[in-house]
Amino acid sequence: MNVMTATFGAGCFWGVEAAFMQLPGVIVTQVGYMAGTTDNPTYEEVCRGTTGHVEVVQVTFDPERVSYEELLRLFWECHDPTQLNRQGPDMGTNYRSVIFFHSPAQEAVARSSLVAEQQKPRHARPVVTAIEPAGPFWLAEEYHQHYLARHSNHFCH
């Protein structure tokens, strides 16, 4: 089986992960941190906003069952890409909207997707989503992995 990786920041990683877990063709999801200045940050450090990391979901998927374009469609739908450094009540640079690409092909598709998203009439404000090369992925603490699947009484935006 051929597998690929995609990484998205779209606010609180709990809700974003739950959305991607439901998509057929997604093999595994992991939540963690990307794009910061320190190695192996903790959740508390990331939330303080001093490390520059973003809460992300790393998606391992089978491209024969789900396309990268379909992952991007879900990414755009599961958050408000017009909110700068926040999603709902969650505020800070760690909640920013960002697509981390793992190849030149992913970058091209992501940039095309961004242009299409900016033209949608549902957005009253400009889309502020960044597109950046993927860097080191730091796995979040175990208690964050598949959080909403294990805690049915919690929710995320």
Side-chain angles (χ1 to χ4, degrees), residues 66-93:
V66 63
S67 67
Y68 185 63
E69 291 85 353
E70 183 67 12
L71 297 178
L72 285 166
R73 183 198 60 75
L74 181 58
F75 166 78
W76 295 119
E77 290 177 0
C78 76
H79 78 300
D80 181 352
T82 69
Q83 293 188 344
L84 184 62
N85 297 331
R86 71 175 297 164
Q87 284 299 304
D90 298 325
M91 298 189 329
T93 57

mmCIF file of all heavy atoms in Angstrom, residues 66-93:
data_model
loop_
_atom_site.group_PDB
_atom_site.id
_atom_site.type_symbol
_atom_site.label_atom_id
_atom_site.label_comp_id
_atom_site.label_asym_id
_atom_site.label_seq_id
_atom_site.Cartn_x
_atom_site.Cartn_y
_atom_site.Cartn_z
ATOM 1 N N VAL A 66 -8.358 8.112 -0.780
ATOM 2 C CA VAL A 66 -8.739 9.508 -0.523
ATOM 3 C C VAL A 66 -7.631 10.398 -1.085
ATOM 4 O O VAL A 66 -6.448 10.144 -0.869
ATOM 5 C CB VAL A 66 -8.981 9.774 0.984
ATOM 6 C CG1 VAL A 66 -7.724 9.571 1.816
ATOM 7 C CG2 VAL A 66 -9.568 11.153 1.212
ATOM 8 N N SER A 67 -8.027 11.410 -1.809
ATOM 9 C CA SER A 67 -7.047 12.298 -2.430
ATOM 10 C C SER A 67 -6.620 13.407 -1.474
ATOM 11 O O SER A 67 -7.326 13.728 -0.511
ATOM 12 C CB SER A 67 -7.643 12.919 -3.698
ATOM 13 O OG SER A 67 -8.704 13.802 -3.348
ATOM 14 N N TYR A 68 -5.492 13.989 -1.787
ATOM 15 C CA TYR A 68 -5.033 15.155 -1.022
ATOM 16 C C TYR A 68 -6.044 16.293 -1.172
ATOM 17 O O TYR A 68 -6.302 17.028 -0.218
ATOM 18 C CB TYR A 68 -3.637 15.573 -1.512
ATOM 19 C CG TYR A 68 -3.021 16.691 -0.712
ATOM 20 C CD1 TYR A 68 -2.719 16.520 0.640
ATOM 21 C CD2 TYR A 68 -2.728 17.915 -1.303
ATOM 22 C CE1 TYR A 68 -2.142 17.549 1.381
ATOM 23 C CE2 TYR A 68 -2.149 18.945 -0.568
ATOM 24 C CZ TYR A 68 -1.860 18.760 0.770
ATOM 25 O OH TYR A 68 -1.293 19.774 1.500
ATOM 26 N N GLU A 69 -6.642 16.413 -2.343
ATOM 27 C CA GLU A 69 -7.673 17.431 -2.562
ATOM 28 C C GLU A 69 -8.855 17.235 -1.618
ATOM 29 O O GLU A 69 -9.418 18.210 -1.104
ATOM 30 C CB GLU A 69 -8.161 17.410 -4.019
ATOM 31 C CG GLU A 69 -7.139 17.888 -5.022
ATOM 32 C CD GLU A 69 -6.152 16.818 -5.487
ATOM 33 O OE1 GLU A 69 -6.148 15.698 -4.935
ATOM 34 O OE2 GLU A 69 -5.366 17.108 -6.399
ATOM 35 N N GLU A 70 -9.232 15.984 -1.375
ATOM 36 C CA GLU A 70 -10.334 15.709 -0.446
ATOM 37 C C GLU A 70 -9.938 16.062 0.990
ATOM 38 O O GLU A 70 -10.756 16.578 1.756
ATOM 39 C CB GLU A 70 -10.745 14.239 -0.533
ATOM 40 C CG GLU A 70 -11.922 13.867 0.320
ATOM 41 C CD GLU A 70 -13.242 14.494 -0.117
ATOM 42 O OE1 GLU A 70 -13.328 15.048 -1.220
ATOM 43 O OE2 GLU A 70 -14.192 14.440 0.679
ATOM 44 N N LEU A 71 -8.699 15.824 1.356
ATOM 45 C CA LEU A 71 -8.222 16.236 2.683
ATOM 46 C C LEU A 71 -8.285 17.755 2.807
ATOM 47 O O LEU A 71 -8.713 18.281 3.844
ATOM 48 C CB LEU A 71 -6.794 15.751 2.928
ATOM 49 C CG LEU A 71 -6.555 14.242 2.959
ATOM 50 C CD1 LEU A 71 -5.074 13.949 3.153
ATOM 51 C CD2 LEU A 71 -7.378 13.561 4.027
ATOM 52 N N LEU A 72 -7.892 18.452 1.757
ATOM 53 C CA LEU A 72 -7.963 19.909 1.777
ATOM 54 C C LEU A 72 -9.408 20.383 1.883
ATOM 55 O O LEU A 72 -9.688 21.356 2.591
ATOM 56 C CB LEU A 72 -7.312 20.496 0.524
ATOM 57 C CG LEU A 72 -5.784 20.448 0.516
ATOM 58 C CD1 LEU A 72 -5.259 20.723 -0.880
ATOM 59 C CD2 LEU A 72 -5.199 21.428 1.517
ATOM 60 N N ARG A 73 -10.335 19.729 1.198
ATOM 61 C CA ARG A 73 -11.751 20.102 1.293
ATOM 62 C C ARG A 73 -12.209 20.036 2.744
ATOM 63 O O ARG A 73 -12.830 20.959 3.260
ATOM 64 C CB ARG A 73 -12.621 19.194 0.427
ATOM 65 C CG ARG A 73 -14.105 19.596 0.438
ATOM 66 C CD ARG A 73 -15.012 18.483 -0.049
ATOM 67 N NE ARG A 73 -14.923 17.269 0.744
ATOM 68 C CZ ARG A 73 -15.456 17.090 1.962
ATOM 69 N NH1 ARG A 73 -16.096 18.068 2.555
ATOM 70 N NH2 ARG A 73 -15.327 15.945 2.594
ATOM 71 N N LEU A 74 -11.858 18.949 3.436
ATOM 72 C CA LEU A 74 -12.231 18.807 4.838
ATOM 73 C C LEU A 74 -11.540 19.858 5.704
ATOM 74 O O LEU A 74 -12.151 20.440 6.607
ATOM 75 C CB LEU A 74 -11.917 17.396 5.340
ATOM 76 C CG LEU A 74 -12.275 17.111 6.793
ATOM 77 C CD1 LEU A 74 -13.761 17.341 7.054
ATOM 78 C CD2 LEU A 74 -11.894 15.675 7.137
ATOM 79 N N PHE A 75 -10.278 20.121 5.435
ATOM 80 C CA PHE A 75 -9.545 21.163 6.159
ATOM 81 C C PHE A 75 -10.289 22.494 6.093
ATOM 82 O O PHE A 75 -10.513 23.149 7.113
ATOM 83 C CB PHE A 75 -8.131 21.306 5.571
ATOM 84 C CG PHE A 75 -7.405 22.545 6.000
ATOM 85 C CD1 PHE A 75 -6.818 22.633 7.247
ATOM 86 C CD2 PHE A 75 -7.306 23.635 5.139
ATOM 87 C CE1 PHE A 75 -6.145 23.791 7.643
ATOM 88 C CE2 PHE A 75 -6.629 24.784 5.523
ATOM 89 C CZ PHE A 75 -6.052 24.860 6.774
ATOM 90 N N TRP A 76 -10.696 22.907 4.886
ATOM 91 C CA TRP A 76 -11.391 24.186 4.729
ATOM 92 C C TRP A 76 -12.727 24.185 5.454
ATOM 93 O O TRP A 76 -13.143 25.211 5.993
ATOM 94 C CB TRP A 76 -11.597 24.518 3.249
ATOM 95 C CG TRP A 76 -10.331 24.755 2.495
ATOM 96 C CD1 TRP A 76 -9.873 24.035 1.419
ATOM 97 C CD2 TRP A 76 -9.346 25.765 2.720
ATOM 98 N NE1 TRP A 76 -8.671 24.545 0.980
ATOM 99 C CE2 TRP A 76 -8.325 25.601 1.766
ATOM 100 C CE3 TRP A 76 -9.230 26.794 3.654
ATOM 101 C CZ2 TRP A 76 -7.203 26.432 1.705
ATOM 102 C CZ3 TRP A 76 -8.114 27.624 3.600
ATOM 103 C CH2 TRP A 76 -7.123 27.436 2.633
ATOM 104 N N GLU A 77 -13.397 23.047 5.477
ATOM 105 C CA GLU A 77 -14.724 22.972 6.091
ATOM 106 C C GLU A 77 -14.698 22.888 7.615
ATOM 107 O O GLU A 77 -15.667 23.251 8.263
ATOM 108 C CB GLU A 77 -15.492 21.769 5.540
ATOM 109 C CG GLU A 77 -15.901 21.926 4.097
ATOM 110 C CD GLU A 77 -16.598 20.697 3.548
ATOM 111 O OE1 GLU A 77 -16.769 19.696 4.290
ATOM 112 O OE2 GLU A 77 -16.961 20.736 2.363
ATOM 113 N N CYS A 78 -13.603 22.401 8.194
ATOM 114 C CA CYS A 78 -13.614 22.130 9.638
ATOM 115 C C CYS A 78 -13.149 23.309 10.485
ATOM 116 O O CYS A 78 -13.034 23.178 11.704
ATOM 117 C CB CYS A 78 -12.808 20.872 9.962
ATOM 118 S SG CYS A 78 -11.024 21.055 9.919
ATOM 119 N N HIS A 79 -12.883 24.459 9.855
ATOM 120 C CA HIS A 79 -12.489 25.633 10.637
ATOM 121 C C HIS A 79 -12.786 26.897 9.837
ATOM 122 O O HIS A 79 -13.178 26.834 8.671
ATOM 123 C CB HIS A 79 -11.019 25.554 11.040
ATOM 124 C CG HIS A 79 -10.043 25.913 9.961
ATOM 125 N ND1 HIS A 79 -9.945 25.235 8.757
ATOM 126 C CD2 HIS A 79 -9.115 26.904 9.902
ATOM 127 C CE1 HIS A 79 -8.985 25.778 8.025
ATOM 128 N NE2 HIS A 79 -8.482 26.799 8.691
ATOM 129 N N ASP A 80 -12.601 28.043 10.462
ATOM 130 C CA ASP A 80 -12.800 29.325 9.794
ATOM 131 C C ASP A 80 -11.435 29.869 9.387
ATOM 132 O O ASP A 80 -10.684 30.385 10.225
ATOM 133 C CB ASP A 80 -13.506 30.311 10.726
ATOM 134 C CG ASP A 80 -13.757 31.664 10.081
ATOM 135 O OD1 ASP A 80 -13.257 31.910 8.957
ATOM 136 O OD2 ASP A 80 -14.451 32.489 10.707
ATOM 137 N N PRO A 81 -11.087 29.759 8.106
ATOM 138 C CA PRO A 81 -9.760 30.186 7.667
ATOM 139 C C PRO A 81 -9.591 31.698 7.571
ATOM 140 O O PRO A 81 -8.536 32.170 7.166
ATOM 141 C CB PRO A 81 -9.638 29.533 6.285
ATOM 142 C CG PRO A 81 -11.032 29.470 5.781
ATOM 143 C CD PRO A 81 -11.879 29.203 6.998
ATOM 144 N N THR A 82 -10.605 32.454 7.972
ATOM 145 C CA THR A 82 -10.497 33.916 7.955
ATOM 146 C C THR A 82 -10.114 34.483 9.316
ATOM 147 O O THR A 82 -9.911 35.684 9.443
ATOM 148 C CB THR A 82 -11.818 34.575 7.491
ATOM 149 O OG1 THR A 82 -12.822 34.383 8.488
ATOM 150 C CG2 THR A 82 -12.274 34.021 6.150
ATOM 151 N N GLN A 83 -10.021 33.634 10.327
ATOM 152 C CA GLN A 83 -9.656 34.103 11.667
ATOM 153 C C GLN A 83 -8.147 34.002 11.851
ATOM 154 O O GLN A 83 -7.576 32.920 11.758
ATOM 155 C CB GLN A 83 -10.372 33.279 12.740
ATOM 156 C CG GLN A 83 -11.861 33.496 12.753
ATOM 157 C CD GLN A 83 -12.513 32.818 13.951
ATOM 158 O OE1 GLN A 83 -11.933 31.968 14.608
ATOM 159 N NE2 GLN A 83 -13.741 33.203 14.223
ATOM 160 N N LEU A 84 -7.517 35.115 12.132
ATOM 161 C CA LEU A 84 -6.070 35.146 12.306
ATOM 162 C C LEU A 84 -5.704 34.758 13.734
ATOM 163 O O LEU A 84 -6.166 35.380 14.695
ATOM 164 C CB LEU A 84 -5.531 36.544 11.990
ATOM 165 C CG LEU A 84 -4.011 36.704 12.049
ATOM 166 C CD1 LEU A 84 -3.337 35.801 11.020
ATOM 167 C CD2 LEU A 84 -3.624 38.162 11.809
ATOM 168 N N ASN A 85 -4.907 33.705 13.861
ATOM 169 C CA ASN A 85 -4.382 33.256 15.155
ATOM 170 C C ASN A 85 -5.473 32.949 16.173
ATOM 171 O O ASN A 85 -5.329 33.240 17.359
ATOM 172 C CB ASN A 85 -3.405 34.284 15.725
ATOM 173 C CG ASN A 85 -2.205 34.461 14.839
ATOM 174 O OD1 ASN A 85 -1.797 33.543 14.123
ATOM 175 N ND2 ASN A 85 -1.633 35.640 14.850
ATOM 176 N N ARG A 86 -6.546 32.328 15.695
ATOM 177 C CA ARG A 86 -7.614 31.922 16.609
ATOM 178 C C ARG A 86 -8.595 31.038 15.869
ATOM 179 O O ARG A 86 -8.659 31.020 14.661
ATOM 180 C CB ARG A 86 -8.333 33.119 17.209
ATOM 181 C CG ARG A 86 -9.215 33.864 16.214
ATOM 182 C CD ARG A 86 -10.016 34.973 16.814
ATOM 183 N NE ARG A 86 -10.946 34.457 17.804
ATOM 184 C CZ ARG A 86 -11.558 35.204 18.700
ATOM 185 N NH1 ARG A 86 -11.358 36.495 18.731
ATOM 186 N NH2 ARG A 86 -12.388 34.676 19.553
ATOM 187 N N GLN A 87 -9.371 30.301 16.650
ATOM 188 C CA GLN A 87 -10.538 29.571 16.171
ATOM 189 C C GLN A 87 -11.545 29.627 17.295
ATOM 190 O O GLN A 87 -11.295 29.084 18.382
ATOM 191 C CB GLN A 87 -10.205 28.124 15.794
ATOM 192 C CG GLN A 87 -9.483 27.983 14.487
ATOM 193 C CD GLN A 87 -10.269 28.506 13.297
ATOM 194 O OE1 GLN A 87 -11.386 28.096 13.037
ATOM 195 N NE2 GLN A 87 -9.679 29.442 12.574
ATOM 196 N N GLY A 88 -12.660 30.307 17.053
ATOM 197 C CA GLY A 88 -13.652 30.462 18.101
ATOM 198 C C GLY A 88 -13.027 31.120 19.316
ATOM 199 O O GLY A 88 -12.322 32.120 19.197
ATOM 200 N N PRO A 89 -13.237 30.532 20.507
ATOM 201 C CA PRO A 89 -12.697 31.147 21.720
ATOM 202 C C PRO A 89 -11.202 30.886 21.939
ATOM 203 O O PRO A 89 -10.597 31.468 22.826
ATOM 204 C CB PRO A 89 -13.521 30.489 22.832
ATOM 205 C CG PRO A 89 -13.856 29.143 22.280
ATOM 206 C CD PRO A 89 -14.059 29.358 20.801
ATOM 207 N N ASP A 90 -10.607 29.999 21.135
ATOM 208 C CA ASP A 90 -9.187 29.667 21.287
ATOM 209 C C ASP A 90 -8.348 30.695 20.550
ATOM 210 O O ASP A 90 -8.451 30.833 19.331
ATOM 211 C CB ASP A 90 -8.903 28.265 20.734
ATOM 212 C CG ASP A 90 -9.647 27.178 21.478
ATOM 213 O OD1 ASP A 90 -9.826 27.318 22.704
ATOM 214 O OD2 ASP A 90 -10.052 26.190 20.845
ATOM 215 N N MET A 91 -7.500 31.409 21.295
ATOM 216 C CA MET A 91 -6.698 32.467 20.694
ATOM 217 C C MET A 91 -5.219 32.226 20.938
ATOM 218 O O MET A 91 -4.818 31.726 21.970
ATOM 219 C CB MET A 91 -7.106 33.831 21.257
ATOM 220 C CG MET A 91 -8.538 34.167 20.937
ATOM 221 S SD MET A 91 -9.084 35.845 21.327
ATOM 222 C CE MET A 91 -8.156 36.338 22.719
ATOM 223 N N GLY A 92 -4.420 32.588 19.941
ATOM 224 C CA GLY A 92 -2.975 32.477 20.028
ATOM 225 C C GLY A 92 -2.414 31.967 18.712
ATOM 226 O O GLY A 92 -3.120 31.342 17.922
ATOM 227 N N THR A 93 -1.141 32.210 18.493
ATOM 228 C CA THR A 93 -0.516 31.776 17.237
ATOM 229 C C THR A 93 -0.504 30.256 17.097
ATOM 230 O O THR A 93 -0.413 29.748 15.991
ATOM 231 C CB THR A 93 0.922 32.316 17.122
ATOM 232 O OG1 THR A 93 1.664 31.881 18.266
ATOM 233 C CG2 THR A 93 0.938 33.837 17.027
#
